[in-house]
Amino acid sequence: DLWVRTEADGTITVGITAYAQDALGDIVFVDLPKVGSTLEAGKDCAVVESVKAAGDIYAPVAGEVVAINESLADAPEAINADAFAAWLFKLKPANLADVDGLLSADAYSANIG
């Protein structure tokens, strides 16, 4: 489960929700996509491993990776400390309108009950 934040420059920042990190438990490793790589919506692009399990991260929309949170390589547990602050990667969407089709924070909260 991911959160997405639209930035002023038209990119989006992507991270794991607090709900998802809580379900995973203590995160011990993060494998992020490479800057410059092109992602397809719905395809796996990263891996987050915890003491319980490994989980694939899927691209929320198609686009190009323009930045990754390199600090997570040394401190993946930052996701557990603050899932919203510990973003994974930034993406330049192929079509910004695709972002509008994602769930809002309120709709997501309703879905997880």
Side-chain angles (χ1 to χ4, degrees):
D1 295 357
L2 302 175
W3 58 260
V4 172
R5 179 177 63 230
T6 304
E7 305 296 349
D9 64 0
T11 63
I12 61 170
T13 301
V14 180
I16 299 174
T17 63
Y19 176 82
Q21 68 79 26
D22 190 50
L24 279 169
D26 292 336
I27 295 172
V28 295
F29 177 75
V30 179
D31 183 24
L32 298 174
K34 297 206 179 328
V35 172
S37 60
T38 301
L39 305 182
E40 290 183 53
K43 299 287 185 183
D44 59 322
C45 62
V47 176
V48 174
E49 292 183 15
S50 73
V51 293
K52 290 187 199 175
D56 288 331
I57 302 298
Y58 299 93
V61 296
E64 179 186 348
V65 177
V66 294
I68 60 170
N69 188 346
E70 295 180 13
S71 67
L72 294 179
D74 294 326
E77 67 278 2
I79 297 169
N80 293 117
D82 188 341
F84 193 67
W87 57 278
L88 300 178
F89 58 90
K90 295 186 182 204
L91 192 62
K92 181 179 180 184
N95 183 353
L96 197 55
D98 291 344
V99 177
D100 296 336
L102 300 175
L103 284 179
S104 68
D106 290 340
Y108 175 79
S109 294
N111 277 353
I112 62 173

